[in-house]
Amino acid sequence: MSLAEFTVRADKAEKEIESLKCMFSKIDTSLSSHGAETEVSRLHEENARLKEQLASLQNGLSTAGTDVTPSGEADATADEDEVNPWDVKASSEKGVDYEKLITKFGSSAIDSILISRLESVIKQPAHHLIKRGIFFSHRDLAIILNEVEKGNKFFLYTGRGPSSEAMHLGHLIPFMFTKWLQDVFDVPLVIQLTDDEKFMWKDMKMEECQRLGWQNVKDIIALGFDVNKTFIFADLTFMGQCPSFYQNIIKIQKCVTYNQVRGIFGFDGSSPIGKIAFPAVQAAPSFSSSFPFIFGDKTKVPCLIPCAIDQDPYFRMTRDVAPRLGYLRPALLHSSFFPALQGAQTKMSASDPNSSIFLTDTPKQIKTKINKYAFSGGQATVEEHREKGGDCEVDISFQYLRFFLEDDEKLEKIRADYTSGDLLSGFLKKELIDLLTPMVLKHQENRKLVTDDIIQQFMTPRPLNF
C-alpha cells in the first residue's frame, strides 16, 4: 500500500471516530451502548495500526505493515529533537515536542476518551501521571482493556539499566506508575535489570554492573511491590537459569536483520556485535513464554509495558517480530522525560550528580540542589516578576511538582499564583523542597528494610499469583 493510500485511510478513520464520538455523546447514558463502545475501540485500534505503518513509510522503510521506524543517532537534525534509548536532546527549552514524537514513532495519544474508558474499567480515578499527560502515548492499551473486560489477565513488564549506585527521582516514575497498575489490575509483573546492556555501552567491569543491579533492586523493592506478584531478574544471571528465555532471544534475533537494527538504533560498522544482538534481549520479556515458571504453557498472555518514550524503539521492533513467532504484540504506555534540574532540554543523568535529586541525597543536598541548580521560569527582578509572572512550562520546580504533587487543586493554585506573579520563584522552590524531602527520607527508611534475603526472594524464579 502506498503512502498516499495509508494517509487517506488514517484520515478517514479519524473522521469516523470523531463522528461516532459526537453521535454517542447524544445518547442517554442510561442506554446500553456496549456495541457502540466496541466499534469506537475497533476504530481506535485500526487507526493506531495505520499510524504505525504510516510512520514506517515516512521514514523510508521498505517493509510494509511493520512497527519498526528508525530512531538512531542519525535521525536528529539541528532543529529537531533527538530521542533514542541512549540519548535525549530537545531543541526547545520547553523540552521534547511530544506531539511530533507521537507522529514520528507512529504511536497514539492518550486522550480523554481513553482515560474515561480506563476509569470505567478500573472503577476509580486514573493516576495523576495519566491525567496530567505525563504518560501521554500508548500502543494498544484499548486491547488490554478489552481483555480485562472479558475477565482475562495480562502481565506487566518494565525494567532498569543499572549504571549508578543510587537511582534518581526520574528513575522512580515508571516504577511508581507500574506499581499503581499492578495494584489496580491485580496482575503479575516482571522487572528486567539490563546489566548486560550497561556492560556493553558503559566503560564498566561486568562485576560492577552486577553489583549496581543488586543495589538498584533495593530501591525498586522499597517502593512496595508485592513479592507474590513480582519477579525481578538480571540478564547476566537469568540467561543461564531459564532456557525458554534464551530460546525466545534466539528466535527474535533470527527475525531481525542487521539493516533493520542499524535503521532502528543507529548501529554502524564499529558497533560491537553484542550491541547489535542486545535488542532481542530486551524484547524477549514481552512474551509470556519466556517465563514458564510463572505462566506454564500459556504462550499468549497479553503484556503491557510502561516505559519512557525513549525505550519505544526496542518494542516497535518487538511488535514487528511477534506475529511471525506466533506471539501477541506487547502493548505500551509511554511517559515523557523527567527533566534535569538545569532545564527540560535534557533528561536527568545518573553520571551528573548536580543534574539530579538522588534517592540517597540528604535534606541539605536536596535543598541546595533545588535552590542552586533548578532552572527558574521567573523574571530577572521581583518587580518584573510581579508584573509579568513566571513561566510554568520551563520552570523546573513546577515541572517536578507536576510529577509528584498529587493534589490537583493545590497544583493548579500554585500554577495560577506563579503565572500571575503573586508567587515568587523562591517560594515555588520551597514548595518543592517541602514535598521532596520527606518523600526521599521515607524511601531511604524503606530501603534500609530490604535485606539480601528479601532481594533473593524477589529474584528467585518461581510461580507468581496469576
Side-chain angles (χ1 to χ4, degrees), residues 30-65:
S30 63
L31 297 177
S32 173
S33 60
H34 177 73
E37 291 176 355
T38 301
E39 179 64 10
V40 171
S41 176
R42 183 191 67 77
L43 285 169
H44 270 300
E45 292 164 14
E46 179 187 355
N47 197 44
R49 291 264 192 267
L50 285 170
K51 286 168 68 179
E52 290 184 67
Q53 295 170 5
L54 180 59
S56 297
L57 287 170
Q58 287 174 328
N59 281 281
L61 292 181
S62 58
T63 306

Side-chain angles (χ1 to χ4, degrees), residues 230-248:
T230 306
F231 172 57
I232 304 174
F233 65 98
D235 290 339
L236 289 173
T237 304
F238 185 57
M239 194 81 75
Q241 295 176 323
C242 185
S244 297
F245 179 61
Y246 181 61
Q247 288 163 16
N248 270 342

Side-chain angles (χ1 to χ4, degrees), residues 90-353:
S91 58
S92 166
E93 66 177 10
K94 294 182 180 180
V96 172
D97 187 329
Y98 292 106
E99 289 186 7
K100 285 185 179 180
L101 204 57
I102 285 174
T103 301
K104 181 179 179 180
F105 282 4
S107 60
S108 300
I110 298 177
D111 59 17
S112 59
I113 301 296
L114 187 59
I115 293 174
S116 295
R117 185 172 178 220
L118 171 65
E119 292 179 332
S120 174
V121 171
I122 64 177
K123 295 179 173 54
Q124 61 180 274
H127 197 282
H128 71 273
L129 292 176
I130 288 184
K131 293 190 292 184
R132 294 175 188 170
I134 292 168
F135 273 84
F136 68 99
S137 167
H138 76 100
R139 296 186 189 276
D140 290 346
L141 178 58
I143 292 178
I144 296 294
L145 297 180
N146 289 345
E147 292 299 314
V148 174
E149 287 179 325
K150 294 174 186 175
N152 298 329
K153 289 280 190 178
F154 65 93
F155 74 100
L156 292 162
Y157 159 40
T158 194
R160 159 78 180 136
S163 60
S164 62
E165 186 83 26
M167 292 164 57
H168 58 58
L169 287 180
H171 295 139
L172 282 188
I173 302 304
F175 289 109
M176 290 169 55
F177 183 66
T178 299
K179 184 182 184 305
W180 178 80
L181 289 171
Q182 185 184 53
D183 290 344
V184 298
F185 286 107
D186 188 26
V187 291
L189 161 67
V190 296
I191 299 175
Q192 180 183 45
L193 295 173
T194 55
D195 46 7
D196 50 346
E197 177 203 23
K198 293 308 174 185
F199 176 70
M200 285 292 171
W201 266 267
K202 301 284 187 178
D203 184 19
M204 297 167 61
K205 292 183 178 180
M206 185 175 292
E207 294 78 12
E208 180 66 1
C209 295
Q210 292 177 294
R211 187 188 71 82
L212 293 179
W214 189 266
Q215 293 301 315
N216 287 179
V217 169
K218 293 181 181 180
D219 282 314
I220 295 169
I221 294 174
L223 291 171
F225 287 104
D226 185 346
V227 69
N228 296 311
K229 294 186 289 184
T230 306
F231 172 57
I232 304 174
F233 65 98
D235 290 339
L236 289 173
T237 304
F238 185 57
M239 194 81 75
Q241 295 176 323
C242 185
S244 297
F245 179 61
Y246 181 61
Q247 288 163 16
N248 270 342
I249 291 170
I250 295 299
K251 290 176 184 178
I252 296 164
Q253 289 172 342
K254 187 175 181 178
C255 289
V256 184
T257 68
Y258 171 69
N259 283 341
Q260 285 177 308
V261 167
R262 183 181 60 184
I264 299 166
F265 299 102
F267 298 139
D268 57 32
S270 67
S271 301
I273 59 174
K275 288 185 178 182
I276 297 165
F278 172 75
V281 180
Q282 187 157 324
S286 306
F287 306 134
S288 59
S289 58
S290 293
F291 308 100
F293 49 89
I294 298 175
F295 302 107
D297 58 359
K298 297 181 176 66
T299 61
K300 290 189 176 183
V301 180
C303 175
L304 176 61
I305 306 171
C307 62
I309 188 71
D310 61 337
Q311 298 300 301
D312 186 70
Y314 286 111
F315 302 114
R316 294 203 302 275
M317 183 199 76
T318 307
R319 287 167 57 83
D320 181 54
V321 167
R324 287 183 274 165
L325 298 179
Y327 297 149
L328 299 176
R329 287 186 173 96
L332 287 99
L333 284 167
H334 300 127
S335 73
S336 56
F337 301 116
F338 193 77
L341 285 168
Q342 287 80 0
Q345 287 184 290
T346 59
K347 64 177 181 178
M348 297 176 87
S349 171
S351 60
D352 181 0

